[in-house]
Structure formats: C-alpha cells, structure tokens
Amino acid sequence: MSKRKQFTIEEKANLIFRLKNGEKNSDLANELGVGHSTISNIWKARDKIEQMFQNEKLSVKKLRNCTHMDLDTVLLRWFKNQRNLCIPINGPILQQKANELAEGLGKHNFNCSTGWIQRFRSRHNIVFSTISGESNSVNTEITQNWLEKVWPKIREGYTDDQIYNADETGLFFKMLPNRTFKFKGERCSGGKMSKERLTILVTASMTGKKMKLIVIGKSRNPRCFKNIKHIDCLPVTYESNSKAWMTAELWSKILLNWDLELGRKKEKILLLVDNCPAHSKVVLRNIKLVFLPSNCTSVLQPMDQGVIKCMKTYFRKSLVLKMINNMENKIDTNINVLDAILLIFKAWEKVTESTIQNCFHHVGFKNAIQQQLVQEEQEEICFPDIDDYVNFDNNLLTSEPLNDQELISSFSDAPEEDENNEDENNEEADTADEDFSINAVFNAVKILSNYMALNNVSSTINFDKLEKKIENDFYTNKIQTKITDFFNSQ
C-alpha cells in the first residue's frame, strides 16, 4: 500500500490558486497522483489554508483543531502584545502565562504541558531564536520575501481599487510652535505645551481613494459639540473612550460597520493593517483582513510612508494660519476638539491621490497596471523649518497592550462604560464656541461675496480653490515675517 501523500500549506495554496484560475479537479488529481476527494478537501478548507499561508505557515501539513480555542486566542493576543513591545518570551514564560489565563477563563483543571505549548507554537508559526543586534530593527530579507512570494498570492482576485491600508496616528491638536523672535536680552518663556490628544484612523486605497477619517477623543460629547445638530453631521466619524486610544472593541465595531456597508453595495476589499494590540481578528464577510509581518510595518505600511505626514503638515500649517489670524484680530488662540476635527478634515481633503499612490508604490505594492510615479503639485505657501513641528507626535501611542483581565473580559458581550463619559462638559470649559448659527453664516457669505467682487474673483470658482487663494493672499500680503518667526532657529 502506497504512502498517503501530504501537501504543505504552500503547496495547498498553490493548488487553490490553480483551481480559482479554472483548472479542473480531475486534471490536478491525475497530475499529482491523488484522489479527487483529496483535491476537493483542500478546496473546502481554502479559507483556513489561505489564512495560514498569509501568516507564512508554509511548512505545516496537518490542520489540527485546538481543544481550548478561547485560551488559544487570548494567549496569542498576549504574546503579540509582548512582542510588539520587543519583550523576549521563552517556553516556560509562555507556559506559566497560559496557566494564569486559563485560571481567569475558569479552566481550573487546565495544566499547560510542554506539548500544548509546542502545538500552540506550531499553530501560530512561532519559532525560538536568539536575539541579536537591535531587536526592533527591520529584517529586510523578511520584507522582501513577503513582497515577492506571499503578497502576490494574497492579492489574487483583488484589483488595485479594492486594496486598502489603515493606520492610526496620535495628534497633539492644541500644540503650537515653540520658536519666536524676541528682543535681545529678553527672557523667552511661554505657557505649558499642550498635550491634549486625539487618535485618528487614516484609511486609503491603492488607487488613492480616501475613506472618512475616524477621530477618537476622550469625551463622548464635548462642550464644543453643543451647536452641532447631531454627531453624524460631523465630516468625520467621532468615537470616544477614556484615553482617546484605539481599542479592540472599537476596532471590531469599525470593521463590522464597514463590512455591512460593503455587503449592501455587494463589494469586497482587502485591508492591510499592522499587528498593534488593538487590531484583533474579526470575522468578516466582505473584508479580507491581512496583517503585515511583525516588525516590518515601518517599511511596509503605505500610510507611514508619507500619507499621514502629508495630512499632519497641512493640519499644522492651517493651525498656524488660524493662530496668526487670531493674533491679528487680538483673539486668544484656543483650539477645541471641533476646531481640530474641522482642520484635520480639511487637511485630509488636501492629500492628493498621487501622494497616496506614490506611497503604496514606494513600499513595494506595485500596481496591477504598472504606472510611473506621479509628480506631485507643490503647495504655494511654503513654511520654513516645519518638519520638527509636524513630526513632534509621530511616536505617540495610539493603543495600549491589554492586561490579563482585559484580555479575558474581551470575550464578554457586555461593553464597559468609559470613565470620562459621565463628565461630558468639563473639557474645554474656558474655550469660546464658534458661532455656526444661520445668521452668522449669512453675514459671512455676504462678506465673502464682497471680497470676491472687490478682488476680481470669478463667481464660478471652486470653493476649495477660493479658500486656497484667500489663505495665500493672507499669508503673502500680511504676515509673511510673523509666520517665519515661529520656525527659524535662533
């Protein structure tokens, strides 16, 4: 009796690829010398095989089910959290943590064996290796291998406009420049630099299509929202929790809502994300969730290659212009959450499709139809020495590793209430609200109409172009020297 033939995950993924391309079951069975049922069983398990192939478990031959799936999931999430922090984990540590988490899950008779840990490592392609050099450095060999061998098969069946990348960034939205001219001998001092923060989820497709920003604040209903009819009227999706961070629960909510929307449109997409602690796996019908290789996101994440920086640059420049305008009108500069939302929305609108396309191309996600890099337009207003100001909050945390209790309770259906949601009006109590009443808007339109008439501006001009022209006139004609003062070094 001949020995039963077994295929690795890589070989099975290749068979699935050939079946999807129209090759017949019988032809493959005859070519490989196996029964039709073997090929059929591989096809039936294609979702699980493709997921394992995506995670680079290429040498595994048998797919075994886990007897403690809840413990397996919690332990894997804990392990990812520790590795994201570059904390070394060995077998005994993993075994001890498995026992602790099992106790928290009510598995009082569970005793983690060496064999269970070995099977856990095999299921999730976890290997043991010696730390050398900087533990957080990027392995270029891994990234190149992933781009050349794994990525082409992952993206099969998806066009460029169906491939998206999402990433969070932190933003100190009240932070102003900390440089200024002064009289010789004058002591240079100012107020405390504000560290009030928001977290922003930035998502765009390979072709440059931009999704609605998701902004996460601390207060569920900030005082500055009182003149907004409904939170859905905001140009972004606003969420909140006590730390203004992305959480696993919020991440699941965002993906499930998007998945439902895609289902209604009968569309499917592929979403590339990093392995941050908040990015939990979610069962989705219309979104194929792909996690980038660990410790490689700094070079593989398109949003990190210039998209987020471009958006923040526009935001910082608009914030400075607002500050200078307030100085001209002798108004204190107080930026609240609503101001920040409107500024970041306008900044996101200014990020061009070509910028996004170039960032995808730069990391190695080539277009299905090869295109040359697009030359980007230069902005008319040039701010000197702005990089330090723009990059100040680049390393701001946007999520936090969950503790054991939070990992275990993540399986509970009952969501916890945010600590700060009860006190909704204590934030920005000293900030003057901007007037968005119909009377104020009517008067503003009249002033704008008169400005256009007196400056020979065509009434058919696009509003975005009009706003850009006014900003440029404001900068060049009135405050050129003042704005430069904030960025010139002493």
Side-chain angles (χ1 to χ4, degrees):
M1 185 176 179
S2 59
K3 186 178 179 181
R4 183 178 178 182
K5 187 168 184 177
Q6 291 185 328
F7 298 97
T8 65
I9 291 298
E10 186 173 17
E11 291 168 337
K12 289 177 181 178
N14 186 53
L15 286 173
I16 292 167
F17 171 72
R18 292 174 66 180
L19 288 168
K20 284 183 175 180
N21 281 350
E23 294 191 44
K24 293 182 180 180
N25 180 311
S26 56
D27 292 341
L28 291 175
N30 291 334
E31 176 188 331
L32 299 168
V34 296
H36 293 200
S37 60
T38 300
I39 305 298
S40 297
N41 289 337
I42 291 173
W43 176 253
K44 289 176 184 177
R46 61 187 179 277
D47 290 341
K48 192 169 184 179
I49 292 169
E50 287 177 339
Q51 183 65 44
M52 294 185 74
F53 178 80
Q54 174 191 317
N55 293 332
E56 300 182 82
K57 304 172 188 175
L58 308 182
S59 61
V60 177
K61 292 187 176 181
K62 290 186 178 181
L63 304 178
R64 292 187 173 89
N65 292 325
C66 179
T67 53
H68 299 281
M69 188 57 70
D70 51 353
L71 175 60
D72 183 274
T73 304
V74 174
L75 183 61
L76 178 62
R77 190 179 295 182
W78 176 85
F79 178 79
K80 284 183 177 180
N81 289 346
Q82 306 312 304
R83 291 307 304 138
N84 284 332
L85 296 172
C86 299
I87 298 173
I89 303 296
N90 58 23
I93 293 175
L94 203 57
Q95 197 170 347
Q96 177 62 28
K97 179 52 67 174
N99 284 325
E100 291 176 5
L101 292 174
E103 189 69 25
L105 288 167
K107 299 177 182 291
H108 304 298
N109 295 324
F110 178 83
N111 185 24
C112 184
S113 64
T114 304
W116 194 92
I117 289 296
Q118 288 176 343
R119 291 190 294 275
F120 172 82
R121 288 173 50 192
S122 177
R123 281 192 297 273
H124 303 293
N125 200 32
I126 297 170
V127 296
F128 193 70
S129 62
T130 303
I131 296 174
S132 60
E134 295 185 18
S135 59
N136 209 21
S137 60
V138 176
N139 189 319
T140 54
E141 186 179 339
I142 290 176
T143 59
Q144 197 63 30
N145 181 70
W146 190 88
L147 284 169
E148 292 177 358
K149 295 183 179 180
V150 180
W151 170 242
K153 291 186 179 180
I154 288 176
R155 70 153 295 169
E156 279 297 332
Y158 293 91
T159 58
D160 294 344
D161 61 344
Q162 292 176 305
I163 298 173
Y164 288 77
N165 175 228
D167 190 27
E168 296 89 357
T169 183
L171 180 71
F172 289 137
F173 66 90
K174 288 191 175 186
M175 191 184 71
L176 299 174
N178 62 351
R179 292 186 181 276
T180 181
F181 277 159
K182 64 184 182 68
F183 290 109
K184 187 175 181 179
E186 177 190 5
R187 183 180 178 185
C188 187
S189 61
K192 185 178 180 181
M193 186 175 290
S194 176
K195 295 294 182 69
E196 291 195 45
R197 61 162 296 154
L198 296 169
T199 293
I200 302 158
L201 180 65
V202 184
T203 309
S205 75
M206 199 166 170
T207 55
K209 180 182 177 182
K210 295 176 287 189
M211 298 301 296
K212 193 175 184 180
L213 292 176
I214 295 174
V215 177
I216 308 168
K218 288 186 177 181
S219 178
R220 182 174 57 189
N221 188 23
R223 182 177 181 272
C224 56
F225 284 8
K226 70 177 184 180
N227 292 325
I228 305 296
K229 289 183 180 179
H230 193 275
I231 198 168
D232 291 339
C233 296
L234 293 171
V236 303
T237 300
Y238 182 77
E239 300 287 350
S240 62
N241 56 59
S242 60
K243 293 184 177 178
W245 280 352
M246 178 63 76
T247 63
E249 292 73 24
L250 180 54
W251 173 250
S252 297
K253 174 185 172 183
I254 291 167
L255 288 188
L256 289 170
N257 287 341
W258 193 4
D259 193 61
L260 286 173
E261 182 184 343
L262 290 168
R264 287 192 291 268
K265 296 178 181 178
K266 297 183 178 179
E267 296 176 358
K268 291 186 181 293
I269 67 161
L270 185 154
L271 180 61
L272 291 159
V273 297
D274 60 25
N275 285 281
C276 98
H279 292 172
S280 56
K281 291 184 179 179
V282 186
V283 178
L284 304 164
R285 291 174 178 265
N286 307 295
I287 300 175
K288 182 177 181 179
L289 196 59
V290 176
F291 291 93
L292 295 167
S294 298
N295 293 333
C296 298
T297 53
S298 61
V299 295
L300 282 179
Q301 182 115 267
M303 296 300 106
D304 278 346
Q305 297 303 309
V307 177
I308 289 175
K309 181 178 179 180
C310 181
M311 180 185 72
K312 281 189 173 183
T313 300
Y314 284 126
F315 173 84
R316 299 288 188 209
K317 290 179 178 180
S318 297
L319 182 59
V320 170
L321 287 174
K322 181 180 179 70
M323 177 185 65
I324 298 296
N325 183 43
N326 288 347
M327 289 169 58
E328 290 282 314
N329 293 288
K330 296 181 172 58
I331 301 172
D332 289 338
T333 300
N334 290 315
I335 307 297
N336 58 35
V337 171
L338 182 58
D339 293 328
I341 285 174
L342 294 175
L343 288 176
I344 201 67
F345 164 72
K346 291 178 181 178
W348 184 228
E349 289 286 293
K350 290 179 180 178
V351 178
T352 64
E353 288 185 0
S354 60
T355 297
I356 298 169
Q357 291 169 8
N358 289 344
C359 289
F360 269 91
H361 190 276
H362 177 71
V363 300
F365 296 113
K366 309 297 184 183
N367 301 65
I369 301 174
Q370 291 298 324
Q371 298 175 343
Q372 292 184 342
L373 292 180
V374 182
Q375 186 66 34
E376 298 173 28
E377 295 181 6
Q378 295 296 319
E379 194 186 5
E380 293 177 18
I381 303 178
C382 180
F383 287 61
D385 304 321
I386 195 174
D387 279 354
D388 288 345
Y389 179 41
V390 171
N391 297 329
F392 186 83
D393 46 21
N394 273 5
N395 296 320
L396 187 60
L397 288 177
T398 56
S399 63
E400 181 182 41
L402 303 178
N403 59 37
D404 290 0
Q405 188 56 46
E406 288 170 328
L407 283 169
I408 293 167
S409 64
S410 65
F411 285 89
S412 171
D413 294 329
E416 296 181 8
E417 291 294 325
D418 292 333
E419 296 173 7
N420 284 14
N421 283 349
E422 295 180 3
D423 188 9
E424 297 171 359
N425 293 326
N426 64 342
E427 197 175 88
E428 305 148 357
D430 59 344
T431 303
D433 295 323
E434 203 162 350
D435 190 355
F436 292 111
S437 66
I438 188 63
N439 290 336
V441 174
F442 177 80
N443 291 330
V445 168
K446 287 296 182 184
I447 293 171
L448 181 59
S449 177
N450 291 338
Y451 167 83
M452 292 172 68
L454 294 171
N455 289 273
N456 196 28
V457 179
S458 171
S459 59
T460 61
I461 190 172
N462 176 280
F463 184 81
D464 290 337
K465 290 183 178 178
L466 175 61
E467 184 178 28
K468 190 173 182 179
K469 173 179 169 35
I470 293 171
E471 282 185 353
N472 190 53
D473 289 346
F474 179 70
Y475 171 76
T476 55
N477 297 334
K478 295 182 69 175
I479 45 81
Q480 174 76 40
T481 55
K482 289 181 181 177
I483 203 165
T484 305
D485 294 350
F486 286 101
F487 300 104
N488 282 343
S489 55
Q490 303 301 310

